[in-house]
């Protein structure tokens, strides 16, 4: 009988842990977690358990027998000898924005990604390499991005630069080796839409909401946010990302890609919903604290806007991402997402 393994990087992170935990619920032959800073595997296993509980169902005891945490690529290669086929979900990333960290981000997000692909590509049984990128590799001069490689985007931070570079590098390698590559591009990933679990993520909406809560405890005046009131941010819950990822995985395992095929590119994004002005009103109502879109009025306002400076440019632009490849590939298994008052309330309550 054919034995299939899922190779997972980033199992200690929000997305990687969530994907691995839900994959284990479906009963694969093995989950091979490549984790360079987890010598005894405790961090990876704790992350998988926390993600399973965050999704509403703890992992059964039998699942742990299928988990192997490996600390190096050579160890992974040796372990793969026991499997007939394998797929890779590469979720590990350096998510720092500051350009002072560009060299380190590039080493992790480009260097390690390409070395991993190069090491695995010659192995028999290689089915597909899923690389988690970001929808914002389109840059700031293209606010209606298609699901294609972007040749000359205007990028502003180390994370964007390194993720765009990784897409280009991996696509070149996939062409050269004939191996199947999927570029998965989520927008702003938020917590679970029904449980609110977000793995203590302090990125995006959750960091923003936590900051407003802290501001409300310190200030007696309204918070003024210096962002475009008409812009809309694009949110996608972690459960939607994981469900889509698993649906892609099942589809690709049942019908492997032909050798030499072009990389698949999928935007994992939500439908546009609340403008910044509407979002501020809804947060004000939910917190019973006034939040408005306006130039800074006080010292605390200025401090808050300085803290969110890395994200201000993103918050003040509206991207309208193409999302045609997923409905074509998954048909009835694809469900679009649009943020609503109920989900926003769940996310706010858990931030």
């Amino acid at each position: 009988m054919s034995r299939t393994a899922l190779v997972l990087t980033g199992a200690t992170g929000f997305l990687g842990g969530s994907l691995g935990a839900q994959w284990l619920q479906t009963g694969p032959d093995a989950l091979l977690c490549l984790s360079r800073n987890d010598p005894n595997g405790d961090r990876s296993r704790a992350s998988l358990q926390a993600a399973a509980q965050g999704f509403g169902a703890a992992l059964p005891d039998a699942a742990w027998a299928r988990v192997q945490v490996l600390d190096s690529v050579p160890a992974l290669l040796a372990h793969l000898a026991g499997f007939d086929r394998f797929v890779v979900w590469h979720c590990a990333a350096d998510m720092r924005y500051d350009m002072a960290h560009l060299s380190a981000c590039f080493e992790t997000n480009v260097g390690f990604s390409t070395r991993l692909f190069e090491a695995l590509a010659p192995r028999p049984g290689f089915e597909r390499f899923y690389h988690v990128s970001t929808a914002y590799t389109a840059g700031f001069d293209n606010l209606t991005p298609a699901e294609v490689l972007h040749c000359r985007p205007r990028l502003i931070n180390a994370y964007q630069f390194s993720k765009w570079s990784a897409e280009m590098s991996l696509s070149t390698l996939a062409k050269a080796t004939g191996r199947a590559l999927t570029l998965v591009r989520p927008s702003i990933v938020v917590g679970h839409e029904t449980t609110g679990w977000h793995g203590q993520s302090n990125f995006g909406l959750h960091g923003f909401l936590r900051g407003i809560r802290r501001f409300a405890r310190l200030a007696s005046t309204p918070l003024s946010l210096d962002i475009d009131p008409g812009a809309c941010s694009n949110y996608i819950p972690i459960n939607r990302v994981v469900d889509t990822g698993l649906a892609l995985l099942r589809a690709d395992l049942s019908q492997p890609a032909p050798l030499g095929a072009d990389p698949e590119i999928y935007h994992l994004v939500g439908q546009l919903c609340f403008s910044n002005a509407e979002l501020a009103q809804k947060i004000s109502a939910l917190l019973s604290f006034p939040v408005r879109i306006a130039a800074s009025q006080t010292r605390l306002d200025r401090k808050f806007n300085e803290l969110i400076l890395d994200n201000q440019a993103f918050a003040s632009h509206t991207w309208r991402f193409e999302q045609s490849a997923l409905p074509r590939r998954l048909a009835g298994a694809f469900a679009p997402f649009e943020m609503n008052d109920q989900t926003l309330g769940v996310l706010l309550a858990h931030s």
Side-chain angles (χ1 to χ4, degrees), residues 77 86 116-126 177 179:
L77 294 176
F86 67 92
L116 180 62
F117 191 99
E118 287 174 321
L120 294 174
R123 301 289 297 191
F126 182 113
T177 60
R179 291 304 197 179

Side-chain angles (χ1 to χ4, degrees), residues 205-217 219 223 225 279-292 304 344-351:
L205 182 64
H206 296 288
F208 180 65
L209 293 172
R210 285 180 186 173
I212 293 177
R213 285 186 182 277
R214 293 191 192 104
F215 186 97
R217 289 196 295 266
L223 169 61
L225 296 172
L279 188 62
Q281 289 177 347
K282 293 179 183 300
I283 291 173
S284 295
L286 288 165
L287 286 181
S288 299
F289 179 80
V291 178
R292 62 194 180 190
F304 188 93
L344 180 62
V346 170
L347 296 173
L348 183 64
H350 290 84
S351 293

Side-chain angles (χ1 to χ4, degrees), residues 241-286:
V241 176
V242 169
D243 288 349
T244 302
L246 293 179
L248 283 173
L249 189 54
R250 287 190 289 267
D252 287 328
L253 284 174
S254 64
Q255 186 178 3
L259 291 177
D262 289 335
E264 295 177 351
I265 301 176
Y266 297 111
H267 285 157
L268 271 62
V269 299
Q271 306 297 308
L272 290 179
C273 50
F274 306 135
S275 68
N276 285 332
E278 292 169 327
L279 188 62
Q281 289 177 347
K282 293 179 183 300
I283 291 173
S284 295
L286 288 165

Side-chain angles (χ1 to χ4, degrees), residues 321-337:
F321 299 103
E322 178 191 11
Q323 193 178 47
S324 59
L326 277 175
R328 276 199 311 270
R329 182 71 175 102
L330 299 180
F334 172 75
F337 169 76

